[in-house]
C-alpha cells in the first residue's frame, strides 16, 4: 500500500519505519524542514532502540521517503496517518492546532479518495470534526473517509510495541475504510477491535488514564507502606500475581512523566467535564503523582536537613529508561527545587544529557555515575536505567562525602546499601 505519515516525531517515525519494514511504500512528512533534512541524511532526531537500523534498512530498500510537502504526501498515498503532537493547553485541554492544520493541508490537496487516519491522541469527536472540516473545505466534491487508529506504543520499546501490539483498535465510519485498515493490519497477530470513531478515541484516553491510575494507586499504597513499615515492592508482587490485577505498572517511585500521561490525564478530565461528568478520580491521580516529587524531596531533607550548600548527585534524568525524552520528566521539577534552595547539582544520564542541558543549564553533567557522585552529599536515583541496578555501592560510598542514597525508583537492595553504611531511603520501603 502507499502510505503517508504526517508528523515524524516518536510515533510518526516509528509508524513510518515499521510499515515500510512490512513492505509498504511510505512517505514521512513533517513541516519541520530541518528534521526532514536530517532524516534524509540518515540522522535520527531522537534515541529509540533499533530505530536507526530500521530506518537505514527501509531507506536503502527505497520504501521510505521524507518530504515537507503535504501535497506530495496526499498525491502519492492511499492512506494518510496523522501523527502530529497534541500538547496540553493551559487548563488541560488538548491543543488541536497541528491536527487542524494538517486536515486543512489535506483538504487543499485532495483530488481523489483517500483514507485519513488519526493516530495522534485526540479528544473524543475530533475525528468527526476533521471529517466536517475537510468536507467543508472541499465542498463535498471529493470522496474521503476519516478513521481513528490510536497508538499504544511506549517510548523505549516503541518498535517492539508497534510490531507486537496487545490489540489494534480501528474506529471507522465506512466499509471501505474498514477494509483498507484490515488489509493493512492483516499481518498482525492480535485481537482487532472495530468500533465507531468516538469509541476508538475514548479507548485511547481510557487506557492511558487507567495506566496512570495504576501508578498513582501503587504510589498511594507506598505512602501507607512507609507509615506502617511494609515493603511496597513485595506488596506489588503479592497483588500482581492476581491475574485480575497484574504486576505491570505497579512500580512505585517519583511518579509518571513523559509527553503522554500528564497531558492525557489532564485532557481526559477536561473531556469528562465537557460531557458533564466531574472525573474526581483522575484529579486525584494527578495530585498523587505531583505529591511523589515532594515525598522524594522530604526523604532527602530528612537526611541532609537543608539543601543549601549541599552537593546532590542525580542518577537518571529522562522520564523513563531507554529514551532521551525529557518532556515532563520528574527530574526537572526536582532539580529545579534543589537549585532554588541553594544546592549544587551534578547529574548523569546515559542518553538524555543533550536534551537535559537545554532544560537544566545550571547542572554539572558528568560521564559516569561515580564521577557524578564524587564529593557529593547524596545520590538521588530518578530514572530506573538498568545500569543503576548493578552499581558498585562500595565504590560509590568511597567517593561520596556523605553516604546518603535516595532511591526514587526502588532499583537498589536496601539491605545491601544499609550494610555498607548508607542512609538509604526508597519510595515505600
Ligand atoms: P512529537 O512532538 O514527537 O512529534 C510531532 C511531530 O509533528 C513533530 O516532528 C512536528 O514537527 C510535527 N508537526 C507538527 N505540526 C505539523 C504539521 N502541521 N504538519 C506536519 N508536521 C507537523 O509527538 P509524538 O510524541 O510523536 O506524539 C504524537 C501524537 O501521538 C500525540 O498525540 C501523542 O499523544 C500520541 N502518542 C504518543 C506516544 C509516545 O510515546 N510519544 C505514544 C502513543 C501516542
Ligand atoms: C505510555 C503508555 O504506556 C503507552 O501505551 C501509550 O501509547 C503512551 O503512553 C502514549 O499514549 O503516549 P510512555 O509514556 O512512553 O507510554 O511510557 P510508560 O512506560 O507508560 O511510562 C510512563 C511513565 O510512567 C514513566 O515516567 C515511568 O517511569 C512511569 N511508570 C511506569 C511508573 O512510575 N511506574 C510504573 O509501574 C510504570
Amino acid at each position: 500500500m502507499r502510505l503517508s505519515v504526517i508528523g515524524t516525531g516518536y510515533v510518526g517515525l516509528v509508524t513510518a519505519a515499521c510499515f515500510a519494514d512490512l513492505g509498504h511504500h511510505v512517505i514521512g512528512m513533517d513541516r519541520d524542514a530541518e528534521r526532514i533534512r536530517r532524516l534524509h541524511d540518515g540522522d535520527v532526531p531522537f534515541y529509540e532502540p533499533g530505530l536507526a537500523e530500521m530506518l537505514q534498512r527501509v531507506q536503502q530498500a527505497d520504501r521510505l521517503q521524507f518530504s515537507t510537502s503535504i501535497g506530495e504526501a496526499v498525491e502519492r498515498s492511499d492512506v494518510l496517518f496523522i501523527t502530529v503532537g497534541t500538547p496540553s493547553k493551559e487548563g488541560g485541554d488538548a491543543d488541536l492546532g497541528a491536527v487542524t492544520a494538517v486536515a486543512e493541508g489535506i483538504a487543499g490537496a485532495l483530488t481523489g479518495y483517500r483514507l485519513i487516519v488519526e493516530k495522534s491522541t485526540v479528544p473524543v469527536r475530533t475525528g468527526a470534526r476533521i471529517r466536517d472540516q475537510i468536507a467543508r473545505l472541499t465542498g463535498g466534491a471529493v470522496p474521503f473517509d476519516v478513521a481513528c487508529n490510536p497508538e499504544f506504543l511506549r517510548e523505549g520499546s516503541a518498535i517492539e510495541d508497534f510490531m507486537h501490539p496487545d490489540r489494534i483498535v480501528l474506529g471507522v465510519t465506512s466499509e471501505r475504510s474498514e477494509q483498507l485498515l484490515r488489509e493493512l493490519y492483516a499481518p498482525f497477530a492480535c485481537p482487532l477491535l472495530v468500533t465507531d470513531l468516538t469509541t476508538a478515541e475514548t479507548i485511547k484516553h481510557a487506557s492511558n488514564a487507567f495506566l496512570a491510575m495504576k501508578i498513582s494507586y501503587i504510589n498511594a499504597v507506598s505512602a501507607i507502606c512507609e507509615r506502617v513499615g511494609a515493603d511496597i515492592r513485595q506488596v506489588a508482587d503479592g497483588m500482581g500475581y492476581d491475574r485480575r490485577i497484574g504486576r505491570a505498572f505497579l512500580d512505585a517511585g517519583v511518579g509518571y512523566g513523559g509527553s503522554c500521561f500528564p497531558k492525557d490525564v489532564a485532557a481526559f478530565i477536561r473531556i469528562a467535564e465537557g460531557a458533564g461528568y466531574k472525573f474526581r478520580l483522575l484529579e486525584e491521580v494527578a495530585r498523587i503523582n505531583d505529591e511523589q516529587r515532594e515525598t522524594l524531596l522530604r526523604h532527602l531533607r530528612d537526611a541532609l536537613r537543608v539543601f543549601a550548600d549541599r552537593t546532590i548527585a542525580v542518577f537518571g534524568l529522562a522520564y523513563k529508561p531507554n529514551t532521551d525524552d525529557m518532556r515532563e520528566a520528574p527530574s526537572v521539577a526536582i532539580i529545579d527545587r534543589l537549585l532554588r534552595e541553594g544546592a549544587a547539582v551534578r547529574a548523569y544520564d546515559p542518553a538524555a544529557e543533550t536534551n537535559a542541558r537545554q532544560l537544566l543549564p545550571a547542572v554539572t553533567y558528568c560521564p559516569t555515575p561515580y564521577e557524578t557522585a564524587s564529593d557529593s552529599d547524596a545520590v538521588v536515583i530518578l530514572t530506573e536505567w538498568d545500569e543503576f541496578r548493578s552499581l558498585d555501592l562500595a565504590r560509590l560510598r568511597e567517593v561520596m562525602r556523605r553516604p546518603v542514597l535516595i532511591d526514587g525508583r526502588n532499583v537498589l537492595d536496601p539491605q545491601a546499601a544499609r550494610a555498607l553504611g548508607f542512609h538509604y531511603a526508597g519510595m515505600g520501603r
Side-chain angles (χ1 to χ4, degrees):
M1 235 180 253
R2 299 179 315 157
L3 313 174
S4 277
V5 178
I6 301 168
T8 58
Y10 285 85
V11 170
L13 203 50
V14 170
T15 302
C18 289
F19 277 137
D21 207 41
L22 289 168
H24 300 287
H25 283 89
V26 185
I27 297 175
M29 184 267 158
D30 206 291
R31 64 162 182 196
D32 180 344
E34 170 61 14
R35 173 166 288 229
I36 291 298
R37 189 192 61 71
R38 285 179 62 182
L39 286 167
H40 262 307
D41 295 346
D43 186 6
V44 186
F46 50 81
Y47 173 72
E48 181 62 44
L51 185 58
E53 296 80 354
M54 186 181 264
L55 283 171
Q56 197 183 16
R57 187 162 70 234
V58 294
Q59 278 179 285
Q60 267 166 8
D62 230 10
R63 284 202 302 275
L64 176 60
Q65 262 105 47
F66 292 102
S67 172
T68 52
S69 160
I70 187 109
E72 189 185 358
V74 173
E75 193 194 317
R76 292 182 42 204
S77 32
D78 310 305
V79 182
L80 298 146
F81 283 91
I82 302 179
T83 54
V84 295
T86 49
S88 278
K89 290 198 287 197
E90 200 136 328
D93 286 311
D95 182 344
L96 294 175
V99 173
T100 309
V102 170
E104 191 181 324
I106 292 173
L110 213 56
T111 51
Y113 179 84
R114 297 289 183 274
L115 171 58
I116 299 144
V117 186
E118 53 174 25
K119 210 179 219 336
S120 297
T121 303
V122 290
V124 287
R125 292 203 265 281
T126 301
R129 278 195 209 106
I130 295 175
R131 203 176 47 186
D132 293 348
Q133 185 190 357
I134 296 176
R136 191 170 24 84
L137 291 170
T138 54
V142 197
F144 70 92
D145 274 313
V146 172
C148 172
N149 168 221
E151 182 50 59
F152 299 101
L153 64 78
R154 289 162 301 173
E155 292 179 27
S157 54
I159 290 179
E160 174 66 21
D161 290 347
F162 188 93
M163 290 299 210
H164 306 283
D166 289 342
R167 79 306 209 176
I168 288 159
V169 175
L170 304 177
V172 294
T173 52
S174 75
E175 202 139 297
R176 186 173 187 178
S177 55
E178 181 181 336
Q179 282 318 316
L180 270 171
L181 288 172
R182 278 189 183 277
E183 193 187 323
L184 185 63
Y185 280 110
F188 291 74
C190 68
L192 193 143
L193 184 67
V194 178
T195 70
D196 58 44
L197 280 178
T198 307
T199 303
E201 291 165 341
T202 307
I203 288 170
K204 175 62 190 175
H205 270 293
S207 301
N208 269 10
F210 187 85
L211 293 171
M213 181 185 73
K214 262 189 116 173
I215 298 170
S216 281
Y217 181 81
I218 203 66
N219 281 331
V221 175
S222 82
I224 297 163
C225 285
E226 285 183 5
R227 286 160 176 80
V228 301
D231 182 328
I232 189 64
R233 286 187 51 112
Q234 288 187 310
V235 171
D237 288 344
M239 291 168 61
Y241 285 122
D242 186 327
R243 271 170 300 175
R244 294 168 305 173
I245 297 174
R247 178 64 178 79
F249 281 71
L250 289 182
D251 287 323
V254 279
Y256 59 76
S259 66
C260 297
F261 285 169
K263 91 165 163 62
D264 290 345
V265 167
F268 206 28
I269 291 170
R270 295 289 293 154
I271 290 165
E273 221 167 279
Y277 179 75
K278 184 124 184 79
F279 214 149
R280 288 202 183 83
L281 176 63
L282 279 191
E283 289 170 1
E284 197 57 14
V285 164
R287 194 195 60 73
I288 291 169
N289 196 54
D290 289 342
E291 205 171 66
Q292 290 310 102
R293 289 124 168 97
E294 296 302 320
T295 302
L296 180 123
L297 288 165
R298 180 163 46 76
H299 288 328
L300 186 58
R301 206 183 296 277
D302 285 347
L304 298 181
R305 234 175 11 89
V306 291
F307 298 148
D309 302 321
R310 307 280 197 246
T311 300
I312 317 290
V314 174
F315 289 6
L317 297 165
Y319 81 98
K320 63 178 279 189
N322 300 319
T323 178
D324 61 358
D325 199 340
M326 287 292 296
R327 293 182 284 185
E328 300 286 326
S331 64
V332 177
I334 290 169
I335 291 174
D336 268 342
R337 264 288 275 291
L338 295 174
L339 292 170
R340 260 190 287 132
E341 294 197 28
V345 177
R346 298 160 66 79
Y348 165 75
D349 188 287
E353 183 183 322
T354 306
N355 288 339
R357 280 180 184 276
Q358 313 289 320
L359 296 168
L360 299 163
V363 166
T364 304
Y365 294 90
C366 305
T368 68
Y370 305 99
E371 276 177 70
T372 314
S374 179
D375 281 333
S376 65
D377 296 293
V379 163
V380 176
I381 299 178
L382 295 183
T383 315
E384 61 277 35
W385 284 96
D386 269 345
E387 66 177 272
F388 301 149
R389 297 181 197 279
S390 52
L391 282 170
D392 180 346
L393 292 183
R395 184 174 163 203
L396 199 65
R397 167 86 178 77
E398 251 165 51
V399 301
M400 292 177 70
R401 190 153 53 203
R402 265 180 233 232
V404 172
L405 199 43
I406 310 295
D407 186 357
R409 294 291 185 180
N410 290 345
V411 295
L412 297 175
D413 175 0
Q415 269 158 12
R418 287 179 186 135
L420 284 166
F422 276 105
H423 166 108
Y424 173 94
M427 304 293 282
R429 312 174 86 178

